Amino acid sequence: MIILSLQLSKALPRHSDKCLLPPSLLQTTIDETPELPHPLVYHLNDGASSIAVGVKEFTAEEGTVCVPQFIFEKLKGHTVTVSLADVPKATFLQLKPAQFYPHITNWKYYLESQLSKNYTTLTKHKLFVIDDPLAKTAVDIIVEDANAPTVVVVDTDTILDVLPLNDIMAAQQLGQNDAISALENIPTFHESGVLEVVPFNQSPVPKLFKIDLRKVKESFSLVLRSENINEAYNVDLLVALDKFVKLDNFAFETMSQDSAASHTDKRIDININSDLIVNHLEKFKEEDACELYAAVFAWDHNAKVKLEMVPFTKGDKLVKENGTSNETKCSNCGKSIEKSKLPLHEAFCSRNNVRCSCGSTFFKEIPSSHWHCEKCDPLLAGESTLFKFKHDRLVHSGPYRCEDCDSTSEYSDFISLVKNHKSTKCPSKLHECMFCHLIVSQEEETYEDRFTNLTHHENQCGNKTTECFECNRVFKRKDLKSHMQMHYMDKVELNTETVRLCANENCVSIVNDDSNDLGLCDTCYGPLYATVLDPTRIKLQNRIERRYVLQLTKGCGNVWCQNPQCATATSPRPMKEVIQHVQSELLLLVVTPELPITRKKGVKSDANKFYFCLTESLQKRKELVDRLVDDGQYSRDMVLRAVNRSRDEDSAREWLLKNGLPLR
């Protein structure tokens, strides 16, 4: 225990439990604790009460501890005793807001982004406060229950339960749960039949599809076709770089294409060589996939549409050309009519159709719902009040300013606001961190963040260290993917190397280059080993010949033997036949070192081959190799490595799972 002077720090957030401690305390902790816990938690005891606190930095002056206002108000003394605390990590946390906060629509995302910034521990039945800089208010939350009286909330997997304050919040949470479930199960885009879409505000998430850019070889167009030719303005398509596709988060849209409302087709062109797509691919180059997310939705009422993906070169003209060489335009309605039928058509058209100054043609009279936008050039016209409201809201209600952050930039229309700010660099924009996989705000970016092609949160999160489960070395999170790629390359190299087996054809033991001259494993070579001088190799030849003769005449006597050159596995043979077989066939398979009989007959083979009987352990190992090879999952060489490194079948399969590459 160390006694320190208590000081209030104005530099620390008011509501926090992270303190500034002196460097000597860290050194003392290291000396007294062989394995440091993570994160470090200390008890501050003033004699009357004890509080668990986290560590902001070890930069306080010696003999002092600097605490935030939240902690300072709980401790009454001028000095405190500091000791290392053993606090369990939170596995279950039940929280309840002290009042209704309308700006928090998703408590899970909110707490993931705000809680661990200022708090290391939480205590059961105690109130903690989060200062929300965007809402400019304080959020009071009570810890209703936890898996321990005091728990650590940093770097832990926690089951979070937020108790609703009232029926409104309960309904809101149910909607959030549906939205989270939908976002976790987004289907891959496949061209299909007619889709029925609902208005954006009638579903927790729109009809979403994901497109893996790694599988796309060329630029493409997403074409949205409305089944009702007169209601193309009622459906739209949004494409974003992340799955949180909303009316204030998209990179591509069809809402600005309403000038072609008389046509059923709307289109988004995706150029895979554009800076936006190239940067997106570069950011996720080490991930399994790099995806775009497309959302189809309606505005006013349900609609039926078809969504298609077409090559960019084929989708550049969706509006049919005006007429053919056999057609000409009607002077009244402007439609292309066959020349032979034009007089009859014009006679009927001039009596029954009325043409507006905008070029639209109506039967008998111009309806009252028909409108023009005089601010647009060329002139825009429509037949629906929804269409007019949508057009005025998106295009002519500016200037727009982001209401979620302190940005003072103004944008002439809503689409520019979203594309240039809300979906790109707005600090409050939600995104899924590629390192911690939490859904948090991306925060204010810096020049370093832009250089690394990461959000501010991802850059800070990626600078945290983690341990490689393969080699136990410590790396930054942002460098771990590259490091794991090196492990993968090592695995590829291991899977392509050929093993050198024992020269005994019945054996499955792996031998090294510095093994005995015969290329046998230690078990198979043992009976042949001798210390006598044998420059001509005649004594070695005699030992090999004697071993073969005994095998073929008397057998090894082992019930497990399956050696085709053994009397136990086959049947005894006459001595004369055995000697002839050994000298004319088996001994000639030994080429290194050269035996006298091989030298005399001048027979050469590629490598040594022996047919010796196996011990019981080697026979079981051989049977295990055959079983694993028959599974067809891994190459024979990898199976041989696994069996030679392992004690039993379970450990061999575990080694293969870790180091082997499955056969394709």
Side-chain angles (χ1 to χ4, degrees):
M1 293 185 180
I2 298 176
I3 299 177
L4 299 175
S5 174
L6 188 67
Q7 291 187 2
L8 173 64
S9 173
K10 298 293 185 181
L12 294 173
R14 176 182 175 85
H15 296 104
S16 173
D17 71 350
K18 296 187 178 182
C19 305
L20 300 179
L21 297 164
S24 59
L25 179 62
L26 175 60
Q27 188 60 51
T28 301
T29 304
I30 293 173
D31 294 340
E32 296 178 353
T33 310
E35 295 185 5
L36 290 178
H38 178 75
L40 288 174
V41 178
Y42 290 92
H43 277 308
L44 301 185
N45 194 322
D46 63 352
S49 60
S50 178
I51 298 177
V53 299
V55 180
K56 179 72 172 178
E57 295 173 350
F58 286 97
T59 56
E61 294 183 4
E62 292 297 334
T64 64
V65 52
C66 299
V67 299
Q69 183 77 33
F70 180 71
I71 301 297
F72 189 78
E73 292 174 353
K74 293 185 176 184
L75 297 172
K76 306 302 181 182
H78 297 291
T79 60
V80 291
T81 301
V82 183
S83 59
L84 188 65
D86 183 15
V87 180
K89 291 195 172 185
T91 57
F92 168 72
L93 205 56
Q94 189 177 70
L95 307 178
K96 184 176 183 179
Q99 64 183 62
F100 181 66
Y101 299 98
H103 69 284
I104 304 176
T105 57
N106 192 310
W107 279 97
K108 180 177 183 293
Y109 297 164
Y110 182 81
L111 291 170
E112 284 176 350
S113 63
Q114 298 291 334
L115 184 59
S116 60
K117 286 182 179 180
N118 295 326
Y119 289 94
T120 304
T121 66
L122 293 179
T123 303
K124 195 187 298 186
H125 306 310
K126 297 293 184 180
L127 175 77
F128 68 95
V129 182
I130 295 176
D131 291 317
D132 194 330
L134 297 178
K136 297 180 175 61
T137 185
V139 178
D140 298 340
I141 304 173
I142 301 170
V143 182
E144 289 285 323
D145 198 7
N147 55 290
T150 300
V151 292
V152 173
V153 293
V154 176
D155 293 339
T156 179
D157 292 327
T158 306
I159 299 175
L160 177 64
D161 182 20
V162 180
L163 299 178
L165 185 66
N166 49 37
D167 292 342
I168 296 176
M169 184 175 172
Q172 191 181 66
Q173 283 184 221
L174 288 175
Q176 293 165 6
N177 293 337
D178 293 341
I180 292 171
S181 177
L183 290 175
E184 290 175 351
N185 299 281
I186 300 174
T188 302
F189 173 74
H190 296 289
E191 292 187 15
S192 58
V194 177
L195 303 173
E196 184 158 353
V197 294
V198 299
F200 222 120
N201 58 358
Q202 294 183 14
S203 175
V205 293
K207 192 173 288 294
L208 274 174
F209 302 96
K210 59 184 179 182
I211 302 169
D212 190 353
L213 290 174
R214 299 264 176 76
K215 298 179 180 179
V216 177
K217 304 301 181 183
E218 58 181 351
S219 299
F220 62 94
S221 297
L222 291 174
V223 181
L224 181 67
R225 292 189 167 94
S226 176
E227 292 292 288
N228 189 333
I229 191 172
N230 297 317
E231 293 191 351
Y233 60 84
N234 184 46
V235 293
D236 271 308
L237 172 66
L238 304 178
V239 175
L241 303 182
D242 57 56
K243 59 187 176 184
F244 304 101
V245 189
K246 299 186 297 182
L247 284 175
D248 60 354
N249 178 34
F250 54 81
F252 306 94
E253 46 73 36
T254 60
M255 297 183 293
S256 59
Q257 298 178 19
D258 281 325
S259 57
S262 59
H263 303 286
T264 59
D265 295 342
K266 292 185 177 182
R267 184 193 71 197
I268 290 178
D269 297 329
I270 308 295
N271 182 0
I272 62 173
N273 297 316
S274 64
D275 291 343
L276 183 67
I277 300 300
V278 170
N279 289 338
H280 188 54
L281 285 166
E282 179 66 20
K283 178 175 180 177
F284 294 94
K285 64 181 179 181
E286 295 177 350
E287 301 295 320
D288 295 333
C290 178
E291 292 165 335
L292 288 179
Y293 296 86
V296 185
F297 68 98
W299 287 91
D300 186 48
H301 50 271
N302 292 8
K304 293 182 178 181
V305 298
K306 287 189 70 175
L307 183 62
E308 299 177 357
M309 180 188 293
V310 298
F312 186 74
T313 53
K314 294 181 180 179
D316 56 355
K317 286 191 177 182
L318 296 175
V319 181
K320 293 182 179 180
E321 298 291 342
N322 292 325
T324 65
S325 58
N326 294 325
E327 296 178 346
T328 186
K329 285 186 178 182
C330 171
S331 59
N332 186 53
C333 66
K335 291 183 179 180
S336 295
I337 307 297
E338 290 185 21
K339 292 180 179 179
S340 60
K341 299 178 181 179
L342 182 61
L344 183 63
H345 169 81
E346 284 186 333
F348 175 84
C349 187
S350 60
R351 291 194 306 270
N352 295 281
N353 292 334
V354 178
R355 186 169 186 175
C356 180
S357 58
C358 67
S360 302
T361 305
F362 302 93
F363 184 68
K364 297 296 185 182
E365 62 180 8
I366 299 175
S368 59
S369 59
H370 182 67
W371 57 273
H372 299 159
C373 180
E374 304 295 342
K375 299 178 182 178
C376 290
D377 185 20
L379 185 70
L380 180 66
E383 314 304 325
S384 165
T385 54
L386 166 66
F387 186 7
K388 187 175 190 313
F389 171 80
K390 171 185 166 185
H391 174 75
D392 290 341
R393 181 68 176 167
L394 292 176
V395 181
H396 299 305
S397 297
Y400 287 91
R401 183 178 294 175
C402 181
E403 69 280 2
D404 296 329
C405 66
D406 296 329
S407 174
T408 58
S409 301
E410 290 188 345
Y411 300 87
S412 59
D413 58 80
F414 181 76
I415 294 175
S416 298
L417 169 68
V418 175
K419 286 186 176 181
N420 299 326
H421 176 74
K422 292 180 74 71
S423 67
T424 55
K425 56 187 178 182
C426 180
S428 62
K429 177 186 177 299
L430 289 178
H431 76 310
E432 184 174 3
C433 175
M434 63 191 305
F435 301 114
C436 66
H437 302 290
L438 298 178
I439 299 171
V440 294
S441 301
Q442 61 184 14
E443 304 177 12
E444 190 74 40
E445 68 176 0
T446 64
Y447 288 106
E448 181 185 356
D449 303 332
R450 296 179 189 175
F451 179 77
T452 56
N453 201 15
L454 300 172
T455 66
H456 184 71
H457 170 85
E458 286 175 331
N459 200 14
Q460 297 296 313
C461 192
N463 284 330
K464 295 179 181 178
T465 57
T466 187
E467 189 177 274
C468 172
F469 66 89
E470 293 272 4
C471 62
N472 298 325
R473 293 173 63 188
V474 176
F475 292 90
K476 290 181 179 180
R477 286 176 174 178
K478 64 172 65 174
D479 298 330
L480 187 60
K481 282 280 185 181
S482 299
H483 171 71
M484 294 307 298
Q485 188 67 21
M486 296 301 296
H487 281 304
Y488 177 76
M489 296 306 296
D490 291 340
K491 185 185 292 187
V492 171
E493 184 177 357
L494 178 65
N495 279 258
T496 54
E497 290 179 350
T498 303
V499 299
R500 183 185 175 192
L501 282 180
C502 173
N504 182 3
E505 292 293 297
N506 298 317
C507 185
V508 291
S509 296
I510 296 177
V511 297
N512 301 320
D513 293 336
D514 56 352
S515 61
N516 52 79
D517 293 342
L518 295 175
L520 293 168
C521 67
D522 292 343
T523 304
C524 296
Y525 182 70
L528 302 177
Y529 177 74
T531 58
V532 296
L533 184 63
D534 187 20
T536 62
R537 308 290 182 180
I538 186 61
K539 295 179 180 179
L540 174 62
Q541 177 180 310
N542 291 338
R543 291 196 297 275
I544 297 173
E545 184 176 8
R546 181 175 181 273
R547 186 171 180 181
Y548 273 137
V549 170
L550 288 175
Q551 278 184 192
L552 291 166
T553 55
K554 295 183 178 181
C556 63
N558 298 323
V559 295
W560 59 80
C561 184
Q562 298 179 9
N563 184 5
Q565 302 295 337
C566 177
T568 301
T570 55
S571 59
R573 300 163 66 175
M575 179 63 72
K576 183 177 180 180
E577 180 183 337
V578 167
I579 293 175
Q580 183 178 2
H581 173 61
V582 171
Q583 292 182 348
S584 62
E585 295 183 32
L586 297 180
L587 287 178
L588 298 183
L589 297 176
V590 183
V591 293
T592 306
E594 191 177 40
L595 302 179
I597 190 172
T598 308
R599 188 183 311 113
K600 179 180 178 181
K601 294 191 175 184
V603 178
K604 299 291 184 182
S605 61
D606 296 334
N608 288 357
K609 288 184 181 180
F610 297 92
Y611 293 90
F612 295 147
C613 295
L614 302 177
T615 63
E616 185 177 10
S617 61
L618 281 178
Q619 182 62 38
K620 289 182 177 179
R621 190 182 295 179
K622 183 176 186 297
E623 292 171 356
L624 176 57
V625 168
D626 293 338
R627 282 202 304 274
L628 295 177
V629 171
D630 289 342
D631 288 346
Q633 295 185 359
Y634 302 97
S635 66
R636 181 176 178 82
D637 284 346
M638 287 302 293
V639 169
L640 289 167
R641 286 192 180 92
V643 172
N644 277 272
R645 292 168 183 258
S646 308
R647 300 181 303 275
D648 51 35
E649 182 172 351
D650 290 340
S651 56
R653 290 185 181 277
E654 184 178 347
W655 188 91
L656 282 171
L657 189 64
K658 180 179 179 181
N659 299 282
L661 292 176
L663 295 173
R664 295 181 179 178

